[in-house]
Amino acid sequence: MPLSASDAPAGSVEFLGEIAHVSYPGGTWRHAVRLGDSLVNVDAPEAFPPGHAVRIRVSHQSLFLFSVASQKAAPPHSSALLEVSEP
């Protein structure tokens, strides 16, 4: 949504970013939004031009949070992820 959008409803989370790229894969506009050093893909019913400042709003119904401390990540290219068992 535009940066000038109204205040977020209670329980939602907002991120401020800048449009890096926009495309139309069909049915919706897909935006690559720069958030700091990261890019996230966001679909919207309208197109925002590259360089445009935007607000990404995630409602509390659609928000899933994961504790980084509780995540045990496998090392990159772990053989355990590629291992195949034979009967």
Side-chain angles (χ1 to χ4, degrees), residues 37-71:
D37 293 335
S38 299
L39 284 175
V40 296
N41 288 325
V42 179
D43 292 343
E46 63 183 288
F48 294 96
H52 193 81
V54 293
R55 185 181 300 260
I56 300 171
R57 182 177 293 164
V58 182
S59 69
H60 71 278
Q61 297 96 336
S62 300
L63 183 63
F64 296 94
L65 299 176
F66 301 91
S67 171
V68 174
S70 69
Q71 300 289 324

Side-chain angles (χ1 to χ4, degrees), residues 1-9 12-19 22 28-35 40-49 51-60:
M1 62 188 53
L3 194 58
S4 62
S6 62
D7 291 336
S12 59
V13 175
E14 290 191 340
F15 303 93
L16 302 180
E18 182 179 297
I19 302 296
V22 62
T28 189
W29 289 95
R30 180 151 297 151
H31 302 83
V33 181
R34 185 168 309 286
L35 300 176
V40 296
N41 288 325
V42 179
D43 292 343
E46 63 183 288
F48 294 96
H52 193 81
V54 293
R55 185 181 300 260
I56 300 171
R57 182 177 293 164
V58 182
S59 69
H60 71 278

